[in-house]
Amino acid sequence: MSTVKPEREYFLDSIRAYLMLLGVPFHVSLIYSTQKWAVNSHEASLWLTLLNDFIHAFRMQVFFVISGYFSYMLYLRYQPRRFLKVRLERVGIPLLTAVPLLTLPQFFMLKAWTDKLADWPRFTPYQKFNNLVWELISHLWFLVVLVMLTTLGMVTFRWLRDQHRTIDYSRVGWGTLTAGVLAWALVWCVFRRLVFIFQPDWLMDGLFNFIVMQTLFYLPFFMLGALAWKHPPLKQLFVRFNPVMWIGAVVMFVAYCTNQRLSSGDGWLYELDAIITTLMGLCMLNVCFCFGHKLLNAHSPRIMYLVNASLFIYLVHHPLTLLYGIYVTPRIENNTLGFFVGLLMVFGIAFLLYEIHLRIPLLRFLFSGKFERKQAGQGN
């Protein structure tokens, strides 16, 4: 355990916040994309489909690298049990809050105002339960995965902490990292294919998808972040401009779009998607860290406001986006105009709700998982 508090790395806070906030244009653009969603525009937009694909192809991989980085930092700062308690409070309390306050009303909204759950009366009890799991977890899935990765961290972080092999990480390059993470992705693909062959129904099960498949997919990114904390040369590698990784991001995005349009779920769509998004995530890790380190690595009150607001904005934006898609999208014929009006409305209402919740201590606690600290010496 270390009692020394490290210097704050503002660019990582900023990148994480912007990645969270990207969830808003991701879901608003989803309305206007070729992807089938609960609400869609009458005609799909090509550029909004590409925007949606681009955000989806890398956002959460980079997010989990940063999460692993800060999680391992906290693991070293606290005793293991204290680490687990703090992290599960920070992640679990907003998760448990958002289900009854956000995704449960969202479920009834979808059931009443869209065709997504039109067959609900004819569902079997298991089908109702499974659909309820998918709808209640909804956009909160990353919090479920963070709970799982945090719990696994009690084992993986201890293993990492106790590793004392003399590896010169200044000699480790993108090729070595890519080979290691890609090897894990291939193992994930083999596992998924075996499940698809022998127990295909498991892949449609919400709990299995979130707790097993998503957790296993993002585990190497989470651990890559922890490695970057333990071995600073890796972080320096991430923030150093590498033209190959930037070109690779373009190539992988083209591959991602091609796979989405030419492959099928009965074929190798999801296995190819896992490999492509793994590589895309690594390439965009360099792009995001390089940009962030150059442009965002300084204290700014405005940036810190976004950092503090980002989780709440992400949690509340999803039902707001669906409401926009149900009631406003059909009234705006131009998709581009509809997209920007949607961003304005969803962000505007979300930030208004954020300011309201800041003035209610109970809500402030429930949506952050952080206990208020009493400030000593006020007025002195």
Side-chain angles (χ1 to χ4, degrees), residues 7 14 34-35 53 59 61 96 104-105 115 117 140 145 155 177 199 240 261 281 286 305 313 325 327 360 369 380:
E7 183 179 352
S14 301
T34 57
Q35 300 288 341
D53 286 346
R59 184 171 68 100
Q61 297 91 303
L96 294 177
L104 183 59
D115 295 329
L117 298 168
L140 311 177
V145 173
V155 176
L177 289 179
Q199 292 290 344
R240 189 165 56 245
R261 285 147 185 79
N286 181 234
Y305 176 83
I313 298 301
Y327 287 109
I360 305 174
N380 293 339

Side-chain angles (χ1 to χ4, degrees), residues 50-89:
L50 292 175
L51 175 65
N52 185 265
D53 286 346
F54 176 70
I55 297 173
H56 188 257
F58 80 92
R59 184 171 68 100
M60 296 313 296
Q61 297 91 303
V62 180
F63 174 85
F64 278 107
V65 171
I66 299 175
S67 295
Y69 184 90
F70 286 126
S71 294
Y72 188 66
M73 177 191 73
L74 292 177
Y75 179 82
L76 296 180
R77 182 187 301 176
Y78 300 128
Q79 293 287 352
R81 289 186 179 180
R82 173 67 175 165
F83 156 78
L84 187 63
K85 179 178 182 294
V86 170
R87 288 301 296 159
L88 291 183
E89 285 175 352

Side-chain angles (χ1 to χ4, degrees), residues 174 178 181 221 224 245 278-286:
W174 284 109
T178 301
V181 178
F221 294 98
L224 189 58
M245 302 304 289
T278 293
L279 296 174
M280 178 82 172
L282 288 174
C283 292
M284 288 301 296
L285 175 62
N286 181 234

Side-chain angles (χ1 to χ4, degrees), residues 228-247:
W229 171 265
K230 182 173 182 178
H231 304 289
L234 286 182
K235 187 178 69 175
Q236 294 304 313
L237 176 69
F238 296 166
V239 302
R240 189 165 56 245
F241 171 73
N242 187 310
V244 175
M245 302 304 289
W246 289 50
I247 295 171

